[in-house]
């Protein structure tokens, strides 16, 4: 019921309430009226009956006294004219009916008057009255009259009819009035509700409800408007805050975008530096071909496939014939160009999946995995020979080049990478001996005739005794003052039998057969003695950098050798720097860390040579007690034109700055490189631009000239 009431509109509720109240009020008024009217009518009826009874009693005294019942009946005859009288009875003193009257058609049972006195009694549908009949103060009989209630009931029915009509008319009027009047209450409420709805749709909080009555609705409107004032104020504040927030979000988003872009570009740079460094570590700087390290990896991988799949693979060792002549006569630039052309042509001759690598100088190697027959290697070798035989135009020269190729085959000529490469190398020498420009398969007899290796090794064993080693010194320049601040000692071997051999070639050999230990000690003592001479000549601020090999630092007791050499020469340890290549340090990082720490404690400086080529991790570098980093010349060569090299150089410069290390830039051989590193804030450089490695007397002359002029000048190009 309540739910139904809740769901109907207020005006209907008002109508209902008013109708209900009106009905109740009217019903109650009607009931009061009807009851009072009925009581009144009943009283009148009773009184009339009593009057009639008294009249009959008075007129029937004689009839009773004389027992004249017809006279008594006649007396009651007027009752016929009374519509409502049903019956009348006169009883004698003995309560026996004396005379009676009945309206036609009505028969009633005569009541027993015993004990009755003058009395009126109302029953459901009739009224009866008893009255005494007296004569001279004595009762002589009783009169009884009975009347129906028809008149009363008719009147009641009439009244009911009137009440119903009045009620209906009143309700109708009340309804009509209510329909008109209810607007006094509902109109302001509807206005409020309409405004509330409009506000919620339009979000326009400046709207207000109208109405200024002083009743509760007026108060409600006022409160509603006050609430809107508050909402409007908060809305304005909210909008203002929202605006500020949006502005801040936009600003912050812009800042984040900028930061993201910076981060992305830093990440890109870092990735490209890392990729570039990895590429540099695995590729030849001049030709872009894989280097020895990458080739070795590939041979290992292909060997494991070949073992599993029981296939055959070939390793071809190539050496260009008489390349040295071209290099010496036409210059290194032409030599380099020629090597690049050779690299391109080699690539052209091979299938996808084959590898061609440059081992250094004019040596190349080709890996042919999964060959069908041993003869395939020879076929490809000859294809290469033909391809390289085509003349090459370089710097205005038409060059003719041939190549000698040695071939070794897995599984016949070796089961591991080292043996296969060594045997291909041996057979390449055999090809040279056999007149060059040909391919030669390895045969087991050749092992004995690994002449080059043998000759080189025997010569190396005697070189120290025969005093064939020399030291050259390359100045290290402070480019802020253009002054020589130190030199690097570089070993030279000019064998009377073989000729000049690069340290890059004989030092790995000396490391392999252990000769590096006595050779290295000789270099150490010789360099320190030379330094002492320069100091004695008045150039006592000059330092010397001495290269150490991995074998030297891994041999226990090296620190004693150094101590002894320092004592013998009488030089200050602080003027000595020991260079160790990144590769050598990483070979055995644990031993390197221990030994280098011991050396450092003796007061000498430690430099990391050829930095950037070993692709070692920063965490390793931080473990080593390094004072100086030498940026490898492979990164310097194409600066400032090669963007990748520029990025690597900048990254390494930033790294040394943050780790508080000194940086020496190697291989600066032109003004543009010098300008670039000056701009990057680098202080120390080494390179052909200032000087090639030269003899000790030349260094002395340069130092003396510097003492006079105050500086050295780069060679003008
Ligand atoms: P390194 O220690 O990095 O020496 C620098 C090499 O770069 C030297 O080659 C030097 O001649 C060359 N170089 C310097 N400036 C330029 C330049 O502007 N352009 C070019 N193209 N090259 C430049 P070198 O003397 O042939 O030495 C090669 C490597 O042999 C040395 O590299 C070092 O690792 C090793 N080595 C040399 N002497 C010794 C030594 O006494 N002991 C040991 N263990 N290794 C040595
Ligand atoms: Mg060095
Ligand atoms: Mg170096």
């Amino acid at each position: 019921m309540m739910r139904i009431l809740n769901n109907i509109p207020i005006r209907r509720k008002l109508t209902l309430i008013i109708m209900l109240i009106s009905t109740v009020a009217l019903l109650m008024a009607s009931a009061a009226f009807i009851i009072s009217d009925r009581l009144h009518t009943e009283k009148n009826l009773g009184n009339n009956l009593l009057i009639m009874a008294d009249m009959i009693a008075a007129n029937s005294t004689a009839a009773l006294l004389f027992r004249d019942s017809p006279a008594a009946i006649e007396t009651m005859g007027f009752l016929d004219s009374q519509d409502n009288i049903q019956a009348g009875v006169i009883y004698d003193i003995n309560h026996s009916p004396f005379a009676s009257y009945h309206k036609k058609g009505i028969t009633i049972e005569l009541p027993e008057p015993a004990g009755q006195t003058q009395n009126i009694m109302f029953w459901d549908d009739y009224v009866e009255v008893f009255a005494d009949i007296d004569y001279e103060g004595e009762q002589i009989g009783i009169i009884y009259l009975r009347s129906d209630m028809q008149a009363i009931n008719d009147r009641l029915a009439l009244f009911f009819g009137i009440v119903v009509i009045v009620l209906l008319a009143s309700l109708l009027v009340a309804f009509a009035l209510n329909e008109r009047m209810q607007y006094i209450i509902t109109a302001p409420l509807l206005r409020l509700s309409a405004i509330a709805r409009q506000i919620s749709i339009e979000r326009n909080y400046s709207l207000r409800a109208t109405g200024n009555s002083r009743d509760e609705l007026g108060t409600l409107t006022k409160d509603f408007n006050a609430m809107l004032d508050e909402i409007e104020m908060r809305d304005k504040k909210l909008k203002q805050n929202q605006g500020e927030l949006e502005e801040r979000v936009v600003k912050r988003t812009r800042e984040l975008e900028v930061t993201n872009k910076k981060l992305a570009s830093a990440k890109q740079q870092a990735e490209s530096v890392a990729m570039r460094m990895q590429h540099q570590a695995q590729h030849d700087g001049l030709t872009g071909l894989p280097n020895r390290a990458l080739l070795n990896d590939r041979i290992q991988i292909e060997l494991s496939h070949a073992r599993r799949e029981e296939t055959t693979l070939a390793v071809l060792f190539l050496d260009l014939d008489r390349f040295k002549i071209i290099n010496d006569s036409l210059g290194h630039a032409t030599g380099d160009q020629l090597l690049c052309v050779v690299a391109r042509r080699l690539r052209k001759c091979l299938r996808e999946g084959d590898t061609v690598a440059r081992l250094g100088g004019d040596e190349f190697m080709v890996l042919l995995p999964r060959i069908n027959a041993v003869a395939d290697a020879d076929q490809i070798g000859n294809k290469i020979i033909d391809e390289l035989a085509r003349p090459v135009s370089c710097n205005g020269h038409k060059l003719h080049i041939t190549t000698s190729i040695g071939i070794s085959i897995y599984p016949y000529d070796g089961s591991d990478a080292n043996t296969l490469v060594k045997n291909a190398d041996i057979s390449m020498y055999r090809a040279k001996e056999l007149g060059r420009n040909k391919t030669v398969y390895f045969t087991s007899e050749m092992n004995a005739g690994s002449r080059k290796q043998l000759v080189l090794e025997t010569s190396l064993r005697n070189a120290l005794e025969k005093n064939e080693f020399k030291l050259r010194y390359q100045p290290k320049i402070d480019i802020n003052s253009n002054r020589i601040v130190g030199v690097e000692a570089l070993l030279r071997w000019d064998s009377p039998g073989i000729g000049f051999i690069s340290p890059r070639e004989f030092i790995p050999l000396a490391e392999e057969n252990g000769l590096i230990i006595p050779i290295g000690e000789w270099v150490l003592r010789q360099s320190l003695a030379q330094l002492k001479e320069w100091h004695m000549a008045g150039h006592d601020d000059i330092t010397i950098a001495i290269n150490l090999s991995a074998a030297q630092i891994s041999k226990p007791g090296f620190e004693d050798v150094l101590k002894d050499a320092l004592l013998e020469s009488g030089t200050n340890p602080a003027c000595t720097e020991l260079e160790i290549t990144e590769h050598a340090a990483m070979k055995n990082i644990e031993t390197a860390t221990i030994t280098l720490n011991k050396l450092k404690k003796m007061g000498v400086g430690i430099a990391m040579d050829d930095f950037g080529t070993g692709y070692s991790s920063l965490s390793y570098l931080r473990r080593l007690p390094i004072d100086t980093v030498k940026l490898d010349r492979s990164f310097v060569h194409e600066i400032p034109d090669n963007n990748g090299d520029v990025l690597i150089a900048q990254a390494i410069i930033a790294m040394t700055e943050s780790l508080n290390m000194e940086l020496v830039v190697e291989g600066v051989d032109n003004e543009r490189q010098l300008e670039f590193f000056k701009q990057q804030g680098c202080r120390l450089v080494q390179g052909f631009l200032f000087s090639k490695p030269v003899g000790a007397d030349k260094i002395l002359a340069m130092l003396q000239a510097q003492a006079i002029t105050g500086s050295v000048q780069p060679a003008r190009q």
Side-chain angles (χ1 to χ4, degrees):
M1 176 69 181
M2 280 312 284
R3 202 179 304 154
I4 297 170
L5 273 179
N6 282 341
N7 290 342
I8 59 173
I10 282 190
R11 55 199 182 90
R12 290 276 160 261
K13 276 187 198 138
L14 279 174
T15 309
L16 259 177
I17 291 166
I18 285 167
M19 302 290 270
L20 202 68
I21 292 170
S22 309
T23 310
V24 170
L26 281 171
L27 283 176
M28 284 177 75
S30 305
F33 177 73
I34 288 170
I35 289 166
S36 99
D37 185 75
R38 174 154 186 142
L39 289 174
H40 181 71
T41 315
E42 277 180 357
K43 197 177 164 194
N44 280 348
L45 185 65
N47 285 343
N48 283 344
L49 276 181
L50 279 176
I51 290 166
M52 270 190 269
D54 284 348
M55 269 170 56
I56 293 169
N59 293 324
S60 57
T61 320
L64 262 176
L65 285 175
F66 297 103
R67 310 248 354 133
D68 184 3
S69 73
I73 290 168
E74 199 181 329
T75 307
M76 285 194 283
F78 82 97
L79 290 176
D80 236 359
S81 61
Q82 302 295 318
D83 289 343
N84 54 328
I85 298 295
Q86 290 178 328
V89 182
I90 296 171
Y91 297 91
D92 61 17
I93 196 70
N94 298 320
H95 298 159
S96 301
F98 174 68
S100 64
Y101 162 81
H102 287 90
K103 183 79 41 85
K104 240 185 235 154
I106 296 173
T107 45
I108 58 160
E109 206 178 309
L110 291 182
E112 183 59 51
Q116 298 288 350
T117 52
Q118 192 151 347
N119 202 2
I120 301 172
M121 279 172 292
F122 288 91
W123 303 100
D124 279 348
D125 48 0
Y126 62 93
V127 186
E128 56 188 9
V129 98
F130 288 92
D132 295 344
I133 304 172
D134 297 330
Y135 180 70
E136 291 181 350
E138 238 183 83
Q139 186 182 7
I140 57 169
I142 293 170
I143 174 87
Y144 166 77
L145 284 180
R146 173 170 153 161
S147 164
D148 64 19
M149 300 280 271
Q150 192 55 48
I152 295 176
N153 288 344
D154 287 350
R155 195 179 165 90
L156 196 63
L158 178 71
F159 277 134
F160 265 120
I162 292 170
V163 163
V164 169
I165 289 165
V166 168
L167 190 66
L168 286 176
S170 309
L171 287 179
L172 211 65
V173 171
F175 182 78
L177 278 175
N178 181 65
E179 280 297 294
R180 293 215 156 270
M181 307 287 278
Q182 61 170 334
Y183 283 108
I184 298 169
I185 290 171
T186 55
L189 288 177
L190 289 172
R191 272 205 305 276
L192 275 182
S193 140
I195 286 281
R197 209 171 317 120
Q198 194 180 351
I199 288 169
S200 82
I201 291 168
E202 295 174 7
R203 307 236 169 258
N204 178 0
Y205 300 107
S206 61
L207 294 173
R208 292 292 178 271
T210 51
N212 48 7
S213 62
R214 296 198 178 166
D215 55 6
E216 289 89 338
L217 286 171
T219 315
L220 181 63
T221 310
K222 224 189 276 166
D223 289 348
F224 181 76
N225 285 342
M227 186 181 75
L228 284 178
D229 288 345
E230 179 71 21
I231 292 177
E232 189 182 13
M233 195 185 78
R234 288 192 188 190
D235 184 55
K236 271 185 194 156
K237 231 184 213 170
L238 199 73
K239 277 189 184 141
Q240 192 184 338
N241 289 349
Q242 210 175 334
E244 281 170 15
L245 201 70
E246 274 169 11
E247 232 171 71
R248 247 188 268 168
V249 167
V250 169
K251 204 173 144 203
R252 191 84 191 103
T253 314
R254 254 185 243 133
E255 280 172 11
L256 278 175
E257 275 171 7
V258 172
T259 316
N260 274 349
K261 269 189 202 150
K262 274 189 195 157
L263 275 176
S265 97
K267 189 176 161 225
Q268 216 179 348
Q269 278 194 8
E271 280 171 358
S272 88
V273 165
M275 274 169 62
R276 177 86 188 159
M277 284 176 86
Q278 189 172 17
H279 190 269
Q280 296 262 11
Q282 296 185 324
H283 291 81
D284 169 47
L286 177 67
T287 59
L289 290 179
N291 62 12
R292 189 187 286 270
L294 183 55
L295 176 79
N296 267 338
D297 282 354
R298 298 220 176 137
I299 298 180
Q300 309 277 14
I301 293 167
E302 292 304 341
L303 269 176
S304 63
H305 287 164
R307 268 182 222 117
R308 221 177 21 247
E309 293 158 17
E310 296 187 348
T311 51
T312 308
L313 69 77
V315 173
L316 276 61
F317 201 116
L318 280 79
D319 190 289
L320 304 183
D321 300 325
R322 298 198 184 88
F323 176 74
K324 196 169 181 308
I325 299 171
I326 294 174
N327 225 10
D328 292 347
S329 55
L330 302 177
H332 285 274
T334 311
D336 285 356
Q337 264 189 39
L338 178 63
L339 289 172
C340 291
V341 174
V342 168
R344 264 201 308 278
R345 291 192 182 176
L346 285 175
R347 258 198 225 115
K348 239 172 66 184
C349 292
L350 302 174
R351 305 167 298 180
E352 202 184 326
D354 296 344
T355 301
V356 54
R358 181 174 173 229
L359 305 185
D362 57 352
E363 290 178 344
F364 295 86
M365 191 167 276
V366 172
L367 167 67
L368 305 173
R370 293 184 195 87
I371 52 168
N372 294 325
V374 172
D376 288 359
D378 189 41
Q379 211 182 328
I380 293 177
N382 283 316
K383 190 174 163 193
I384 291 172
I385 286 176
D386 292 347
E387 184 64 33
L388 295 188
R390 287 193 295 118
V392 180
S393 297
C394 262
N395 279 350
H397 305 281
K398 201 167 196 185
L399 305 175
H400 292 270
I401 187 115
T402 59
T403 182
S404 303
I405 303 178
I407 304 171
S408 66
I409 306 283
Y410 169 85
Y412 313 114
D413 305 329
S415 54
D416 61 275
N418 278 346
T419 317
L420 286 168
V421 170
K422 194 183 79 192
N423 291 344
D425 190 10
I426 292 170
S427 24
M428 183 274 291
Y429 270 94
R430 172 62 77 195
K432 294 237 183 222
E433 277 172 2
L434 292 175
R436 300 190 171 95
N437 199 23
K438 50 174 58 60
T439 59
V440 168
Y441 278 107
F442 174 76
T443 59
S444 50
E445 298 83 57
M446 280 181 199
N447 244 337
S450 171
R451 217 168 52 105
K452 181 197 169 193
Q453 200 79 354
L454 215 63
V455 168
L456 212 64
E457 213 173 313
T458 359
S459 311
L460 195 61
R461 281 189 197 285
N462 302 324
L464 208 53
E465 279 169 28
K466 289 188 178 165
N467 214 10
E468 288 172 7
F469 289 121
K470 273 194 215 99
L471 281 180
R472 289 285 173 264
Y473 303 91
Q474 186 175 33
K476 186 159 74 182
I477 313 290
D478 179 338
I479 52 176
N480 293 336
S481 56
N482 270 3
R483 286 178 69 84
I484 301 172
V485 291
V487 295
E488 178 179 1
L490 293 159
L491 187 58
R492 297 287 176 262
W493 179 31
D494 200 357
S495 160
I498 313 170
F500 176 81
I501 302 134
S502 158
R504 292 202 192 273
E505 200 173 342
F506 71 81
I507 282 181
L509 190 64
E511 281 179 333
E512 228 171 77
N513 58 24
L515 282 172
I516 193 68
I517 303 294
I519 296 174
E521 196 174 329
W522 179 84
V523 172
L524 194 64
R525 289 182 192 280
Q526 190 72 16
S527 319
L528 291 176
Q530 183 56 60
L531 181 68
K532 186 69 190 173
E533 266 185 40
W534 289 323
H535 282 183
M536 300 286 278
H539 310 289
D540 51 6
D541 50 351
I542 292 300
T543 61
I544 196 156
I546 302 165
N547 291 288
L548 292 186
S549 80
Q552 281 173 282
I553 56 164
S554 342
K555 188 161 189 274
F558 176 72
E559 57 275 17
D560 298 330
V561 175
L562 177 68
K563 201 186 284 174
D564 194 47
L566 282 167
L567 271 176
E568 189 188 83
S569 63
T571 46
N572 180 359
C575 292
T576 308
E577 194 161 52
L578 301 176
E579 291 188 5
I580 173 129
T581 64
E582 205 183 345
H583 287 290
M586 293 306 142
K587 241 185 198 170
N588 189 344
I589 181 81
E590 305 302 333
T591 325
T593 315
I594 296 168
T595 313
L596 293 182
N597 271 312
K598 280 186 194 160
L599 301 181
K600 180 93 204 269
K601 274 201 189 124
M602 291 168 62
V604 298
I606 309 288
M608 173 125 300
D609 204 355
D610 300 350
F611 187 77
T613 58
Y615 201 53
S616 43
S617 86
L618 255 186
S619 62
Y620 277 141
L621 290 181
R622 295 194 60 180
R623 281 167 58 183
L624 296 168
I626 298 162
D627 306 288
T628 306
V629 160
K630 297 190 80 174
L631 176 63
D632 189 67
R633 66 189 158 95
S634 60
F635 299 113
V636 178
H637 186 55
E638 288 177 31
I639 274 180
D641 303 320
N642 185 323
N643 201 33
D645 286 349
V646 166
L647 284 176
I648 292 176
Q650 284 171 336
I652 293 175
I653 291 166
M655 184 204 78
T656 52
E657 270 170 13
S658 68
L659 293 177
N660 218 5
M661 292 172 178
E662 192 73 77
L663 178 78
V664 179
V665 183
E666 292 187 321
V668 173
D669 59 11
N670 64 50
E671 291 274 6
R672 291 176 72 216
Q673 293 167 347
L674 181 67
E675 197 45 44
F676 172 82
F677 286 105
K678 257 187 193 165
Q679 273 173 14
Q680 297 297 317
C682 299
R683 191 172 73 88
L684 300 173
V685 306
Q686 228 178 293
F688 293 173
L689 181 63
F690 284 94
S691 169
K692 289 193 170 182
V694 292
D697 44 354
K698 189 86 193 283
I699 293 287
L700 185 62
M702 287 165 93
L703 289 173
Q704 282 165 347
Q706 174 174 288
I708 297 163
T709 59
S711 65
V712 286
Q713 291 308 317
R716 295 281 153 223
Q717 292 155 344

